[in-house]
Amino acid sequence: MKIKSLGLLISILSIAFLFTGCGEPLMEMTAEEEAIITAYASKAVSKFNKNQTIGIANARVRKGELDEEYSPDEPEEETDDEALEQPEIDPETGEPIDVDASSEKTEEAGEETAEDSSSDLGYSFTEAIGIEGVEFSCSEFDVSEEFKTKKFLMEKVSGKKYVVLSIEAKNTSDKSVDFSQYKGNSYSLSLNGGEKASASFTPLGNDLVNYDGILAAGDTKSFILVFQFSDSSVENITSMELFVTSEGTTRGTTI
Protein backbone atom coordinates (compact mmCIF):
# COMPACT_ATOMS: atom_id res chain seq x y z
CA MET A 1 0.00 0.00 0.00
CA LYS A 2 2.81 2.39 0.84
CA ILE A 3 4.55 1.49 -2.40
CA LYS A 4 1.42 2.32 -4.42
CA SER A 5 1.02 5.68 -2.63
CA LEU A 6 4.68 6.52 -3.17
CA GLY A 7 4.36 5.68 -6.86
CA LEU A 8 1.28 7.87 -7.23
CA LEU A 9 3.07 10.80 -5.58
CA ILE A 10 6.07 10.43 -7.90
CA SER A 11 3.76 10.34 -10.94
CA ILE A 12 2.00 13.57 -9.87
CA LEU A 13 5.29 15.36 -9.28
CA SER A 14 6.61 14.24 -12.65
CA ILE A 15 3.54 15.57 -14.48
CA ALA A 16 3.73 18.89 -12.62
CA PHE A 17 7.40 19.24 -13.49
CA LEU A 18 6.69 18.63 -17.17
CA PHE A 19 3.94 21.30 -17.30
CA THR A 20 6.11 23.95 -15.60
CA GLY A 21 8.60 23.66 -18.43
CA CYS A 22 6.14 25.30 -20.86
CA GLY A 23 6.70 28.89 -22.08
CA GLU A 24 9.33 30.91 -23.91
CA PRO A 25 12.89 31.16 -22.60
CA LEU A 26 14.04 34.50 -21.05
CA MET A 27 15.84 36.98 -23.30
CA GLU A 28 19.56 37.05 -22.76
CA MET A 29 21.26 40.48 -22.80
CA THR A 30 24.83 41.58 -22.91
CA ALA A 31 26.31 43.58 -20.04
CA GLU A 32 26.20 46.75 -22.14
CA GLU A 33 22.50 46.28 -22.93
CA GLU A 34 21.70 45.74 -19.26
CA ALA A 35 23.63 48.94 -18.37
CA ILE A 36 21.69 50.98 -20.97
CA ILE A 37 18.32 49.77 -19.65
CA THR A 38 19.38 50.45 -16.05
CA ALA A 39 20.54 54.00 -16.87
CA TYR A 40 17.36 54.77 -18.81
CA ALA A 41 15.11 53.43 -16.03
CA SER A 42 16.88 55.43 -13.32
CA LYS A 43 16.61 58.67 -15.34
CA ALA A 44 12.94 58.06 -16.10
CA VAL A 45 12.25 57.70 -12.37
CA SER A 46 14.21 60.90 -11.63
CA LYS A 47 12.21 62.79 -14.22
CA PHE A 48 8.92 62.23 -12.40
CA ASN A 49 10.26 62.42 -8.85
CA LYS A 50 8.29 65.26 -7.24
CA ASN A 51 10.67 65.39 -4.25
CA GLN A 52 13.46 66.40 -6.57
CA THR A 53 14.01 70.12 -7.34
CA ILE A 54 14.83 69.69 -11.02
CA GLY A 55 13.79 66.64 -13.01
CA ILE A 56 15.79 65.15 -15.86
CA ALA A 57 14.09 66.13 -19.08
CA ASN A 58 16.35 64.08 -21.35
CA ALA A 59 16.61 60.40 -20.42
CA ARG A 60 18.93 59.43 -23.27
CA VAL A 61 22.26 57.83 -22.49
CA ARG A 62 25.01 60.32 -23.18
CA LYS A 63 28.05 59.49 -25.20
CA GLY A 64 30.62 57.71 -23.05
CA GLU A 65 28.34 57.58 -20.01
CA LEU A 66 28.72 53.79 -19.77
CA ASP A 67 32.51 54.00 -19.74
CA GLU A 68 34.21 53.45 -16.41
CA GLU A 69 36.21 56.70 -16.68
CA TYR A 70 33.12 58.83 -17.41
CA SER A 71 32.67 61.72 -14.96
CA PRO A 72 29.26 63.43 -14.69
CA ASP A 73 30.90 66.66 -13.50
CA GLU A 74 32.64 67.16 -16.81
CA PRO A 75 30.47 69.19 -19.23
CA GLU A 76 29.57 67.39 -22.40
CA GLU A 77 31.13 68.97 -25.45
CA GLU A 78 28.68 70.34 -27.99
CA THR A 79 29.22 71.08 -31.60
CA ASP A 80 28.49 74.55 -32.92
CA ASP A 81 25.29 73.34 -34.57
CA GLU A 82 24.06 71.69 -31.35
CA ALA A 83 24.81 74.83 -29.34
CA LEU A 84 22.80 76.93 -31.76
CA GLU A 85 19.87 74.52 -31.69
CA GLN A 86 19.57 74.50 -27.88
CA PRO A 87 16.84 77.06 -26.95
CA GLU A 88 16.93 79.10 -23.76
CA ILE A 89 14.42 77.76 -21.24
CA ASP A 90 12.21 80.03 -19.12
CA PRO A 91 12.84 78.89 -15.48
CA GLU A 92 9.28 79.78 -14.43
CA THR A 93 7.23 78.26 -17.25
CA GLY A 94 9.68 75.64 -18.55
CA GLU A 95 8.92 76.79 -22.10
CA PRO A 96 11.63 77.70 -24.65
CA ILE A 97 12.23 81.44 -25.05
CA ASP A 98 12.14 82.88 -28.54
CA VAL A 99 15.01 85.36 -28.22
CA ASP A 100 14.48 86.93 -31.62
CA ALA A 101 10.76 87.50 -31.04
CA SER A 102 11.39 88.96 -27.57
CA SER A 103 14.01 91.38 -28.85
CA GLU A 104 11.77 92.42 -31.74
CA LYS A 105 8.87 93.11 -29.35
CA THR A 106 11.16 95.13 -27.05
CA GLU A 107 12.46 97.19 -29.95
CA GLU A 108 8.95 97.76 -31.29
CA ALA A 109 7.73 98.81 -27.82
CA GLY A 110 10.64 101.22 -27.46
CA GLU A 111 9.98 102.70 -30.89
CA GLU A 112 6.29 103.09 -30.13
CA THR A 113 7.04 104.80 -26.80
CA ALA A 114 9.43 107.23 -28.43
CA GLU A 115 7.00 107.95 -31.27
CA ASP A 116 4.08 108.42 -28.88
CA SER A 117 6.00 110.87 -26.69
CA SER A 118 7.04 112.99 -29.66
CA SER A 119 3.61 112.88 -31.32
CA ASP A 120 1.87 113.92 -28.08
CA LEU A 121 3.38 117.41 -28.22
CA GLY A 122 2.14 120.20 -30.46
CA TYR A 123 -1.02 121.20 -28.58
CA SER A 124 -1.63 124.56 -26.98
CA PHE A 125 -1.96 124.65 -23.20
CA THR A 126 -5.76 124.96 -23.47
CA GLU A 127 -6.01 122.15 -26.04
CA ALA A 128 -3.86 119.85 -23.94
CA ILE A 129 -6.05 120.17 -20.84
CA GLY A 130 -9.07 119.78 -23.09
CA ILE A 131 -11.95 121.18 -21.02
CA GLU A 132 -14.46 122.58 -23.47
CA GLY A 133 -15.29 126.27 -23.05
CA VAL A 134 -12.38 127.01 -20.70
CA GLU A 135 -9.08 128.68 -21.58
CA PHE A 136 -5.99 127.77 -19.53
CA SER A 137 -2.59 129.36 -19.08
CA CYS A 138 0.37 128.58 -16.84
CA SER A 139 1.31 131.79 -15.11
CA GLU A 140 4.33 130.52 -13.18
CA PHE A 141 5.99 127.53 -11.49
CA ASP A 142 7.80 127.11 -8.22
CA VAL A 143 10.44 124.63 -7.02
CA SER A 144 10.74 123.95 -3.28
CA GLU A 145 11.74 121.30 -0.76
CA GLU A 146 8.25 121.28 0.74
CA PHE A 147 4.82 122.42 -0.35
CA LYS A 148 2.54 124.03 2.19
CA THR A 149 -0.52 126.19 2.45
CA LYS A 150 -2.41 127.49 5.49
CA LYS A 151 -4.25 124.17 5.87
CA PHE A 152 -2.04 121.64 4.11
CA LEU A 153 1.59 120.53 4.14
CA MET A 154 3.60 118.17 1.94
CA GLU A 155 6.77 117.60 3.94
CA LYS A 156 10.32 117.48 2.68
CA VAL A 157 11.43 114.18 1.17
CA SER A 158 15.14 113.33 1.08
CA GLY A 159 16.55 113.72 -2.42
CA LYS A 160 13.28 115.12 -3.82
CA LYS A 161 11.80 118.52 -4.59
CA TYR A 162 8.30 119.70 -5.48
CA VAL A 163 7.48 121.48 -8.73
CA VAL A 164 4.20 123.40 -8.46
CA LEU A 165 2.47 124.80 -11.55
CA SER A 166 0.16 127.80 -11.09
CA ILE A 167 -2.63 127.64 -13.67
CA GLU A 168 -5.25 130.25 -14.55
CA ALA A 169 -8.59 129.11 -15.99
CA LYS A 170 -11.27 131.31 -17.59
CA ASN A 171 -14.69 130.20 -18.76
CA THR A 172 -15.02 131.93 -22.13
CA SER A 173 -18.32 130.27 -23.01
CA ASP A 174 -21.84 131.50 -22.33
CA LYS A 175 -22.70 128.65 -19.97
CA SER A 176 -21.35 127.03 -16.83
CA VAL A 177 -18.75 124.25 -17.12
CA ASP A 178 -18.97 121.22 -14.83
CA PHE A 179 -15.44 120.03 -13.99
CA SER A 180 -16.67 116.79 -12.38
CA GLN A 181 -16.85 115.07 -15.78
CA TYR A 182 -13.12 115.69 -16.23
CA LYS A 183 -11.96 114.13 -12.95
CA GLY A 184 -10.73 111.10 -14.91
CA ASN A 185 -8.02 113.19 -16.55
CA SER A 186 -4.44 112.41 -15.50
CA TYR A 187 -1.55 114.88 -15.62
CA SER A 188 2.18 114.31 -15.93
CA LEU A 189 5.15 116.63 -16.32
CA SER A 190 8.52 116.22 -18.02
CA LEU A 191 11.54 118.41 -17.27
CA ASN A 192 14.18 118.97 -19.96
CA GLY A 193 12.71 116.14 -22.03
CA GLY A 194 13.32 113.58 -19.27
CA GLU A 195 11.04 111.06 -17.64
CA LYS A 196 7.46 112.00 -16.84
CA ALA A 197 6.29 112.45 -13.23
CA SER A 198 2.60 112.05 -12.44
CA ALA A 199 0.80 114.81 -10.58
CA SER A 200 0.56 114.28 -6.81
CA PHE A 201 -2.90 114.17 -5.24
CA THR A 202 -3.75 116.83 -2.67
CA PRO A 203 -7.06 117.53 -0.88
CA LEU A 204 -6.88 121.21 -1.78
CA GLY A 205 -9.97 122.75 -3.38
CA ASN A 206 -7.98 124.29 -6.23
CA ASP A 207 -6.07 121.12 -7.20
CA LEU A 208 -6.90 120.55 -10.89
CA VAL A 209 -6.49 116.79 -10.40
CA ASN A 210 -9.52 116.46 -8.14
CA TYR A 211 -11.53 119.65 -8.71
CA ASP A 212 -15.20 118.78 -9.36
CA GLY A 213 -16.83 122.19 -9.00
CA ILE A 214 -18.63 124.36 -11.54
CA LEU A 215 -17.08 127.36 -13.26
CA ALA A 216 -19.74 129.86 -14.24
CA ALA A 217 -19.74 131.65 -17.58
CA GLY A 218 -17.17 134.45 -17.60
CA ASP A 219 -15.63 133.40 -14.26
CA THR A 220 -11.94 132.70 -13.63
CA LYS A 221 -10.25 130.42 -11.13
CA SER A 222 -6.66 129.67 -10.09
CA PHE A 223 -5.54 126.04 -10.00
CA ILE A 224 -2.37 124.18 -9.10
CA LEU A 225 -0.68 120.94 -10.14
CA VAL A 226 1.99 119.47 -7.85
CA PHE A 227 4.76 117.16 -9.09
CA GLN A 228 7.74 115.59 -7.36
CA PHE A 229 11.19 115.23 -8.98
CA SER A 230 14.69 114.27 -7.91
CA ASP A 231 17.07 117.04 -6.86
CA SER A 232 19.22 116.54 -9.97
CA SER A 233 16.21 116.93 -12.29
CA VAL A 234 15.41 120.44 -11.06
CA GLU A 235 18.95 121.83 -10.92
CA ASN A 236 18.72 123.52 -14.33
CA ILE A 237 15.24 123.54 -15.86
CA THR A 238 15.37 124.63 -19.50
CA SER A 239 12.09 123.17 -20.72
CA MET A 240 8.84 121.78 -19.35
CA GLU A 241 6.23 119.63 -21.09
CA LEU A 242 2.80 118.91 -19.63
CA PHE A 243 0.92 115.77 -20.74
CA VAL A 244 -2.81 115.27 -20.19
CA THR A 245 -4.45 111.87 -20.72
CA SER A 246 -8.21 111.48 -21.04
CA GLU A 247 -10.20 108.55 -22.43
CA GLY A 248 -7.02 106.85 -23.61
CA THR A 249 -5.72 109.88 -25.54
CA THR A 250 -2.64 111.83 -24.47
CA ARG A 251 -2.06 115.46 -25.44
CA GLY A 252 1.19 117.27 -24.72
CA THR A 253 2.14 120.92 -24.62
CA THR A 254 5.33 122.85 -24.01
CA ILE A 255 5.12 125.32 -21.15
Side-chain angles (χ1 to χ4, degrees):
M1 189 67 178
K2 290 183 179 181
I3 294 175
K4 289 182 180 180
S5 299
L6 181 60
L8 179 60
L9 179 60
I10 292 173
S11 300
I12 293 173
L13 292 175
S14 298
I15 294 172
F17 177 76
L18 292 173
F19 276 106
T20 56
C22 297
E24 297 180 359
L26 296 175
M27 181 184 293
E28 294 185 0
M29 295 183 293
T30 64
E32 184 177 0
E33 290 174 338
E34 290 180 354
I36 291 175
I37 292 176
T38 301
Y40 182 89
S42 63
K43 290 184 176 182
V45 171
S46 297
K47 177 180 178 180
F48 298 102
N49 183 5
K50 295 183 179 180
N51 294 324
Q52 175 175 307
T53 304
I54 301 176
I56 299 176
N58 186 358
R60 294 178 299 175
V61 178
R62 297 179 181 177
K63 182 178 179 181
E65 188 173 2
L66 301 178
D67 298 340
E68 293 182 357
E69 62 275 10
Y70 176 79
S71 175
D73 296 331
E74 296 178 358
E76 182 179 0
E77 295 183 358
E78 295 181 349
T79 62
D80 294 338
D81 294 338
E82 290 176 345
L84 293 174
E85 291 176 359
Q86 294 295 330
E88 185 178 355
I89 303 299
D90 190 327
E92 295 184 358
T93 63
E95 297 293 333
I97 299 175
D98 190 342
V99 179
D100 295 335
S102 299
S103 59
E104 288 177 2
K105 290 181 180 178
T106 302
E107 291 176 358
E108 290 176 359
E111 292 175 359
E112 290 176 359
T113 302
E115 291 175 0
D116 290 345
S117 297
S118 60
S119 62
D120 289 342
L121 294 171
Y123 293 86
S124 68
F125 198 82
T126 296
E127 292 171 338
I129 295 179
I131 297 180
E132 188 176 355
V134 181
E135 288 186 359
F136 292 89
S137 62
C138 182
S139 57
E140 61 180 1
F141 72 92
D142 181 55
V143 179
S144 59
E145 293 184 347
E146 63 180 17
F147 172 66
K148 62 180 179 179
T149 65
K150 293 181 179 179
K151 297 181 179 180
F152 179 74
L153 170 65
M154 295 181 74
E155 295 181 346
K156 178 181 178 181
V157 178
S158 178
K160 301 284 186 179
K161 282 188 172 64
Y162 296 102
V163 176
V164 183
L165 301 185
S166 297
I167 300 172
E168 297 296 325
K170 181 177 182 179
N171 185 348
T172 57
S173 69
D174 57 357
K175 57 183 178 180
S176 299
V177 176
D178 184 2
F179 276 65
S180 63
Q181 59 183 315
Y182 300 99
K183 285 191 67 175
N185 291 5
S186 61
Y187 302 86
S188 58
L189 186 67
S190 172
L191 301 181
N192 303 331
E195 294 183 2
K196 300 176 184 178
S198 298
S200 302
F201 176 86
T202 73
L204 298 175
N206 64 335
D207 189 339
L208 188 57
V209 172
N210 59 28
Y211 182 69
D212 59 357
I214 294 177
L215 188 63
D219 282 357
T220 61
K221 185 174 179 61
S222 298
F223 291 98
I224 60 165
L225 286 173
V226 183
F227 303 88
Q228 193 175 66
F229 287 92
S230 64
D231 289 342
S232 58
S233 298
V234 300
E235 285 180 356
N236 182 26
I237 300 176
T238 58
S239 65
M240 302 175 68
E241 294 83 29
L242 179 69
F243 297 88
V244 184
T245 302
S246 60
E247 298 180 352
T249 301
T250 299
R251 300 174 297 274
T253 183
T254 301
I255 299 175

